[in-house]
Amino acid sequence: MKVIRFQDWARPVPPVRREVRSATPEVDEGKTPLLFVPGFGHGAWAFAEFWLEHAAGRGFPAHAVSPRGHGGSGDSPGATLRAYSHDVVQAAASLPRQAVLVGHGAGALVVERALARYPARAAVLAAPVLGGWATFANALRRNPAGTLPAVFGGRLRMRPRQLFSREVPQAVAREYAGRLGRASARAQWQLLLHRAPEPAVGDPPVLVVGSPDDRIVPASALTRAARRYGGAPLLFPGMGHDMMLDARWREPIDAILDWLDKSGS
Amino acid sequence: MTTSTDHDSATLWRDGRPVYDRGETVCVIGAGPSGLVAIKNLKEYGFGVDCYERETGVGGAWNWRHDRSPVYASTHLISSKPFTQYPDFPMPDDWPDYPHHGQVLAYLERYADHFDLRPHIWFGTEVVKVEPADGLRWDVTTKSTGGYGAERTHRYTAVVVANGHNWSPNLPSYEGLDDFKGKVIHSSAYKDPAELRGKRVLVVGGGNTGCDIAVEAAQHASRCWHSTRRGYWYAPKYVLGRPADQVNDGILALRLPLWLRQWLLHLTLRLTVGDLRRFGMRKPDHKVFETHPIINSQLVYHVGHGGIAPVPDIARFRRHSVELSDGSEVEPDVVVVATGYRPRFEFLAPDALAADAEGRPRLHLHAFSRRHPTLAVAGLLESDSGLFTLVHWQTVAIARWLRLHEAAPQRAGQFWTARVAKEPDRRWVGAKVKDTQRHWFEVAHVDYLRALQKLIDGLAGAKA
Ligand SMILES: Cc1cc2nc3c(=O)[nH]c(=O)nc-3n(C[C@H](O)[C@H](O)[C@H](O)COP(=O)(O)OP(=O)(O)OC[C@H]3O[C@@H](n4cnc5c(N)ncnc54)[C@H](O)[C@@H]3O)c2cc1C
């Protein structure tokens, strides 16, 4: 628990216009709001495609925020992980009730940082890219041409087949991949070299979900992430990395909502 | 929240009156900024909480509808956002650096809803007595603020007092005051500059409130005199293009020695504000950081425009005038006395807070009673930065302490004897702060938070 926070006090993150997309249930059943956080290159749109409406249909007010420089949020070339997690905390604090944070890909790393600043009701790390050299080596091996430029501050390019299973038609996969933007070069470097996040405040329950067939996050990384929070990952074989856009997008979101229902959130 | 309404359900008695047992629930007194954060953090640490609030809404001092709210129409924060907000619930990005009091209230209301605190609060209920019960527990007697219904007593496992200390006016006594024909009001009763329009106004007191009101008088009154006892350092709200407190913390982070920081600040003030003696103001008789900081960008400006006439201390009141200590006389229609507040804890025996004859409580870290391990006070601080951050960590420490106390009484006992009961009074201020009543609870935020960090870490390490 870090009490002295000179950086937050003396150098607050500068504000920026923030895109938040929402779907809310017709009748408020008092369920916990969800805040989805996309990974690098993605925006709130990735959740607006299926997950937001589906969660709202099951009674959960659902929101997705685009961190600065992503989706429809304001531009921010030099953004850091701290700035991204600031955007998440700002969006969470603007909701009427204590929220559940759901981070996908590198968005899970951003959520981990946000958890040290905001006492979430619970958190879900979906196909979490928590960084470090192993992730990098894996990416380099599978997609050298798309990964190498990122080392020099260029754009990290994912191939459609890295992100989606074969059940997603080629044209659709290409269309989604074409919508990807990029994270700032600084944030990309920070993904490799960053300090472990501070412990989560309020000690929320954390669920890790992923696919053993994810071509970006190896199964061993899922297990490691889940162990940090004292659990095992919930696995969805046959799905690609972008679970919220894959053909069987319904399965993981239903499992997440079941988990929240069961834990009384 | 459930309570019993029927006397038969009471299993405990005190002086022939029923006492309702609230088991392991903690009682919080007051739903101002300090009470709200106490409820939230106690809840987060798994405690049941009942909070009593004499008003009908949350927000304490920041709720201008409240009888005893000291804020006036134009009150803005004097600490910038990053210092003022609770560390785990930031104020919105699109708010200004120094929000208006209405925004602070909106923020507190949103905090209460976001963390679902209202179901824990009994509004319109005043605490009239807090007495130790068997062993370590407490009997808390309440009555409705409106006066109807009988008094009721509940037994709690611990009490966190968050009743605020900026509501009971501190009125100095002046010779001849009773005969004075003009109007005299305490700043707590001042609400709107319309009260000053076209009048000759004397503002008394060099604190932040006194300076704010003098600035309002400069713009609305026909004349304004500002009487202070000494010269002060007036820091502007912005230096080097950024909120002054943020710049100051940038310097603090470098861990420079105090004398160097004082020198830097004196230099900055000389270059920006200049030497105030040219306006007839007095040279401060102390260095910066030795009195509560005055943050005001407009005072010097209005003095420079002749809108505010700085004058010395009041010697005595006459029928139609006020005589000042330099022998001069002014003839105000209205005198606004901005001489601060006194802390009051009428529901507690002074002994519980080890208060001295003057009423000054002697608490460990200004928060923990040294007599009773299950009694704490939240928010009894004057800080060189915002208050909410400090009270947040205070109440985290209180919650952790109570957890340890419940889970491992023996270990807690040792911790208590070593760290709390015996620890000598410390002041948690960097500089040699003036030892006046104004500075009883003065802390430098970094020194104080470092001490809290140590306590919080120590409590985590204290295994069952
Ligand atoms: C003019 C002015 C400007 C200020 N500016 C700033 C600033 O810029 N930044 C800053 O951080 N602070 C500022 N402060 C300090 C301010 O007091 C604190 O911000 C804050 O309001 C203190 O919170 P609190 O909860 O401790 O006390 P309060 O806000 O006073 O709340 C105490 C609550 O307890 C209730 N209560 C009291 N006694 C009882 C009882 N017996 N039974 C039941 N309920 C009870 C009261 O009704 C009240 O709601 C300012 C103060 C003033 C007067």
Side-chain angles (χ1 to χ4, degrees):
Chain A
M1 220 171 260
K2 199 167 145 213
V3 172
I4 307 280
R5 297 179 176 178
F6 280 127
Q7 203 188 20
D8 292 350
W9 298 332
R11 292 257 154 226
V13 173
V16 72
R17 178 173 42 84
R18 232 180 340 262
E19 176 195 36
V20 176
R21 301 187 54 172
S22 307
T24 44
E26 274 171 32
V27 214
D28 183 4
E29 298 170 31
K31 286 198 183 179
T32 311
L34 310 180
L35 181 64
F36 293 96
V37 180
F40 285 5
H42 295 65
W45 60 267
F47 297 104
E49 201 76 0
F50 306 114
W51 278 16
L52 292 188
E53 284 297 340
H54 187 73
R58 285 192 51 181
F60 288 89
H63 312 268
V65 59
S66 298
R68 58 192 60 209
H70 287 75
S73 285
D75 212 22
S76 183
T80 54
L81 286 179
R82 176 165 90 108
Y84 293 157
S85 64
H86 169 87
D87 290 336
V88 173
V89 173
Q90 280 279 320
S94 75
L95 299 176
R97 285 192 296 270
Q98 214 172 350
V100 173
L101 304 185
V102 186
H104 173 262
L109 178 67
V110 174
V111 162
E112 272 193 336
R113 286 166 184 260
L115 290 176
R117 289 284 178 272
Y118 168 79
R121 184 65 76 86
V124 180
L125 311 181
V129 176
L130 301 178
W133 293 103
T135 323
F136 177 63
N138 191 41
L140 207 56
R141 191 159 45 81
R142 288 185 186 263
N143 178 12
T147 310
L148 211 53
V151 179
F152 303 99
R155 178 172 170 178
L156 184 66
R157 273 181 207 284
M158 308 282 191
R159 279 182 288 109
R161 281 294 160 239
Q162 270 184 299
L163 298 176
F164 306 101
S165 73
R166 300 231 163 255
E167 287 174 60
V168 180
Q170 190 88 31
V172 178
R174 232 185 275 127
E175 198 265 319
Y176 285 144
R179 278 160 83 170
L180 297 182
R182 58 162 300 177
S184 78
R186 277 180 76 180
Q188 285 179 173
W189 284 319
Q190 282 184 313
L191 186 64
L192 283 184
L193 291 168
H194 63 84
R195 268 184 248 148
E198 294 167 36
V201 288
D203 211 9
V206 178
L207 174 71
V208 175
V209 302
S211 163
D213 302 310
D214 187 328
R215 293 183 193 199
I216 289 174
V217 185
S220 58
L222 292 175
T223 310
R224 223 174 315 122
R227 243 188 234 144
R228 286 234 307 267
Y229 297 97
L234 205 55
L235 296 178
F236 298 86
M239 294 194 82
H241 178 69
D242 274 7
M243 320 179 83
M244 64 287 189
L245 294 168
D246 213 320
R248 279 152 52 203
W249 58 264
R250 207 175 254 118
E251 292 170 31
I253 185 68
D254 269 332
I256 291 169
L257 300 177
D258 288 346
W259 178 71
L260 291 173
D261 270 333
K262 230 187 311 174
S263 57
S265 290
Chain B
M1 181 157 79
T2 53
T3 50
S4 30
T5 45
D6 138 19
H7 279 197
D8 297 338
S9 66
T11 50
L12 303 164
W13 298 84
R14 179 171 198 127
D15 308 329
R17 288 158 38 92
V19 174
Y20 304 101
D21 192 351
R22 296 291 289 143
E24 298 307 307
T25 310
V26 178
C27 174
V28 172
I29 303 174
S34 304
L36 290 175
V37 70
I39 308 175
K40 139 99 176 28
N41 284 325
L42 286 164
K43 252 179 83 156
E44 204 163 284
Y45 276 80
F47 289 98
V49 186
D50 286 355
C51 170
Y52 296 107
E53 168 54 58
R54 63 186 298 285
E55 300 280 356
T56 51
V58 300
W62 296 98
N63 196 327
W64 57 272
R65 292 181 204 92
H66 290 175
D67 280 355
R68 303 194 286 199
S69 166
V71 304
Y72 32 90
S74 65
T75 307
H76 279 258
L77 284 174
I78 54 161
S79 45
S80 78
K81 271 195 307 183
F83 297 89
T84 312
Q85 63 206 6
Y86 298 116
D88 57 358
F89 192 72
M91 290 186 181
D93 263 354
D94 55 3
W95 281 12
D97 290 326
Y98 297 97
H100 182 249
H101 71 78
Q103 287 173 308
V104 179
L105 175 60
Y107 170 76
L108 295 169
E109 288 178 331
R110 277 205 311 111
Y111 182 80
D113 291 330
H114 195 85
F115 294 107
D116 204 20
L117 308 181
R118 288 184 209 261
H120 296 268
I121 308 170
W122 290 91
F123 290 106
T125 308
E126 184 169 357
V127 171
V128 290
K129 218 180 298 161
V130 174
E131 302 160 291
D134 59 338
L136 293 162
R137 309 183 69 209
W138 293 90
D139 284 347
V140 176
T141 303
T142 57
K143 67 165 201 231
S144 96
T145 310
Y148 43 82
E151 290 187 354
R152 299 162 51 76
T153 305
H154 293 90
R155 186 159 297 178
Y156 290 97
T157 192
V159 171
V160 178
V161 179
N163 66 334
H165 62 283
N166 282 330
W167 50 267
S168 177
N170 174 42
L171 279 168
S173 53
Y174 292 107
E175 185 186 330
L177 183 60
D178 291 343
D179 296 329
F180 180 62
K181 289 292 165 213
K183 188 170 161 189
V184 180
I185 59 167
H186 185 263
S187 57
S188 59
Y190 169 76
K191 291 286 153 201
D192 195 291
E195 298 166 45
L196 310 178
R197 195 156 295 149
K199 306 251 169 55
R200 284 166 303 172
V201 179
L202 170 64
V203 180
V204 185
N208 281 297
T209 301
C211 291
D212 277 359
I213 298 176
V215 166
E216 302 226 311
Q219 299 168 73
H220 298 275
S222 66
R223 285 216 62 174
C224 169
W225 299 276
H226 186 203
S227 158
T228 60
R229 235 182 283 185
R230 56 165 63 90
Y232 290 94
W233 296 96
Y234 299 97
K237 278 192 160 171
Y238 288 91
V239 292
L240 310 172
R242 306 201 26 246
D245 49 5
Q246 296 177 17
V247 174
N248 184 44
D249 265 50
I251 296 171
L252 275 172
L254 302 175
R255 288 187 172 244
L256 302 177
L258 175 68
W259 64 265
L260 187 55
R261 284 194 289 119
Q262 284 176 321
W263 180 82
L264 268 174
L265 206 59
H266 286 170
L267 181 73
T268 315
L269 291 179
R270 204 164 57 238
L271 293 176
T272 49
V273 184
D275 185 347
L276 297 177
R277 281 176 299 180
R278 70 190 191 280
F279 295 128
M281 294 165 88
R282 268 163 301 168
K283 186 176 154 65
D285 58 358
H286 56 281
K287 296 190 183 137
V288 278
F289 304 130
E290 290 180 355
T291 51
H292 189 76
I294 312 294
I295 316 289
N296 196 309
S297 300
Q298 291 173 289
L299 185 89
V300 174
Y301 173 89
H302 285 291
V303 171
H305 284 199
I308 298 173
V311 297
D313 214 4
I314 293 178
R316 64 186 61 79
F317 279 80
R318 299 192 188 286
R319 246 175 112 70
H320 297 286
S321 67
V322 178
E323 186 187 322
L324 303 165
S325 60
D326 62 358
S328 63
E329 229 168 291
V330 295
E331 293 182 4
D333 306 310
V334 180
V335 180
V336 183
V337 197
T339 41
Y341 300 85
R342 294 189 73 88
R344 276 168 65 177
F345 304 93
E346 285 125 336
F347 45 77
L348 262 173
D351 171 61
L353 303 176
D356 61 19
E358 278 186 290
R360 171 190 197 160
R362 301 269 178 189
L363 301 164
H364 177 57
L365 275 164
H366 295 301
F368 294 90
S369 158
R370 291 199 170 91
R371 307 267 158 94
H372 301 277
T374 50
L375 176 68
V377 181
L380 188 58
L381 295 173
E382 291 285 347
S383 150
D384 59 350
S385 79
L387 186 78
F388 302 3
T389 305
L390 305 189
V391 195
H392 171 86
W393 295 112
Q394 266 191 341
T395 53
V396 166
I398 291 170
R400 276 202 177 189
W401 160 249
L402 292 176
R403 262 279 149 259
L404 179 73
H405 189 258
E406 195 184 88
Q410 209 177 352
R411 178 75 191 77
Q414 288 161 4
F415 186 86
W416 184 263
T417 330
R419 292 285 287 276
V420 181
K422 279 215 206 100
E423 188 116 337
D425 267 339
R426 292 265 307 269
R427 300 242 28 213
W428 324 112
V429 285
K432 237 174 49 241
V433 161
K434 296 255 161 212
D435 200 22
T436 58
Q437 195 216 324
R438 173 74 184 89
H439 297 103
W440 274 359
F441 312 117
E442 190 71 24
V443 297
H445 67 290
V446 175
D447 298 83
Y448 185 73
L449 286 176
R450 285 214 174 99
L452 274 181
Q453 174 95 63
K454 249 172 84 185
L455 177 68
I456 288 170
D457 292 349
L459 286 168
K463 294 240 163 51

